[in-house]
Amino acid sequence: MPAERTVTHTVPVAAARRRRLRADQARQLADLLRHQILAGGYPDGVLPLESRLADDYGAGRNTVRQALDLLRGEQLVERRPGVGTVVVCEKYPHGLDRLQGLAETLNEHGRVTNEVRTVGPVRAPAPVAGRLGLPEHADVLYIERLRRLNGLPLSLDLTYVPMDIGAGLLGCDLENTDVFRLLEQLTGQPLGHAEITLEAVNADAHSAAVLQAPRGAAVLMLERLTHLGDGRPVDLEFIRFRGDRITMSGLLRRSL
């Protein structure tokens, strides 16, 4: 009896371990294929056959199918009869090693346009005033913009600027010009540095509707506090990017 119980329990456990191992391998393969796709490794937009992928990556056919299922779930690829697995979503690279506006960063990929949804003076919330080095209850210029690349919604930007500088922005072309460029023109000095925080958050109902993304979908939240060349904090932004349309990258060097 003890031996029979051991066999009865061992078979399901072994099967579960095999499934878990295959799922781990599928996730690893999906990471490698995602990199190839985003790096332009398939310029014609069509992935190799499953048998070819299995040979190239030393994986089983079931593992390849599961990896492709993961990428389909991300809406990065889809299966088309008579064609195979094709890339259906392009992601655009956003560098994190240079202080640039979105239009400057993505200029080679198309035209960035801004839909100014809200602009005007507001009383700064205490955390905003503190980050910008302003007195409590000071007014700031608040700007909310939907930013599109080649007509597709890419990010929802919420921006706070001290009013002594923000007043000048009210007469500027916010629809076609990066705020960074305008700040340098208004202040007569270059931007210096920025502190950034990047995290994934779930899209709230408002953000999802504006970005035309599924409610609750993961978006990339970039919080950025930008300083002028003299060190003054001048621009606090909360930017929600559609995670299926952008990748963040940078060049890091180790200093000892």
Side-chain angles (χ1 to χ4, degrees):
M1 291 295 291
E4 291 179 356
R5 284 198 298 271
T6 300
V7 172
T8 301
H9 289 292
T10 299
V11 172
V13 169
R17 286 175 177 169
R18 286 196 297 272
R19 288 195 297 271
R20 185 170 65 248
L21 178 60
R22 186 185 302 143
D24 291 342
Q25 292 173 339
R27 185 171 59 251
Q28 294 163 7
L29 178 56
D31 289 342
L32 296 174
L33 293 175
R34 186 187 304 104
H35 172 79
Q36 285 292 95
I37 292 170
L38 299 180
Y42 307 112
D44 61 353
V46 181
L47 273 65
L49 296 175
E50 291 179 0
S51 57
R52 174 67 182 276
L53 290 173
D55 290 339
D56 287 348
Y57 290 94
R61 291 285 293 273
N62 286 337
T63 298
V64 171
R65 292 190 186 102
Q66 286 187 16
L68 295 177
D69 283 343
L70 291 174
L71 298 179
R72 278 194 287 271
E74 298 174 15
Q75 299 182 341
L76 189 59
V77 302
E78 68 178 27
R79 180 80 178 175
R80 291 182 180 170
V83 179
T85 301
V86 299
V87 179
V88 294
C89 180
E90 183 177 5
K91 289 193 175 187
Y92 302 98
H94 187 295
L96 293 177
D97 46 7
R98 297 186 64 186
L99 184 54
Q100 292 183 313
L102 192 65
E104 295 173 316
T105 302
L106 300 178
N107 69 89
E108 63 185 85
H109 299 286
R111 182 167 179 259
V112 174
T113 56
N114 309 312
E115 176 188 328
V116 181
R117 299 175 55 82
T118 303
V119 59
V122 299
R123 177 171 291 184
V128 172
R131 297 289 300 282
L132 290 172
L134 299 173
E136 189 175 357
H137 306 312
D139 282 346
V140 294
L141 183 70
Y142 172 73
I143 310 169
E144 179 179 317
R145 294 169 296 162
L146 170 61
R147 315 199 70 185
R148 294 185 174 92
L149 178 61
N150 299 325
L152 294 176
L154 185 62
S155 71
L156 178 62
D157 298 15
L158 314 182
T159 304
Y160 299 90
V161 179
M163 204 60 209
D164 61 314
I165 298 173
L169 290 174
L170 289 171
C172 294
D173 183 7
L174 294 171
E175 292 188 353
N176 299 292
T177 314
D178 276 339
V179 168
F180 278 4
R181 186 178 297 276
L182 294 173
L183 289 174
E184 291 181 325
Q185 292 174 357
L186 289 171
T187 62
Q189 62 173 299
L191 298 175
H193 69 279
E195 305 153 22
I196 64 172
T197 300
L198 181 64
E199 61 181 321
V201 300
N202 292 330
D204 59 275
H206 169 71
S207 299
V210 173
L211 291 171
Q212 298 177 18
R215 184 173 181 177
V219 296
L220 289 176
M221 165 71 86
L222 178 67
E223 178 184 329
R224 181 170 59 195
L225 178 62
T226 302
H227 301 250
L228 292 172
D230 62 9
R232 180 188 175 185
V234 72
D235 182 340
L236 177 60
E237 296 174 283
F238 298 88
I239 307 173
R240 290 170 173 81
F241 288 100
R242 280 194 54 154
D244 59 344
R245 291 181 179 163
I246 197 107
T247 61
M248 299 290 179
S249 61
L251 177 63
L252 304 180
R253 291 184 171 87
R254 181 176 175 85
S255 59
L256 301 176

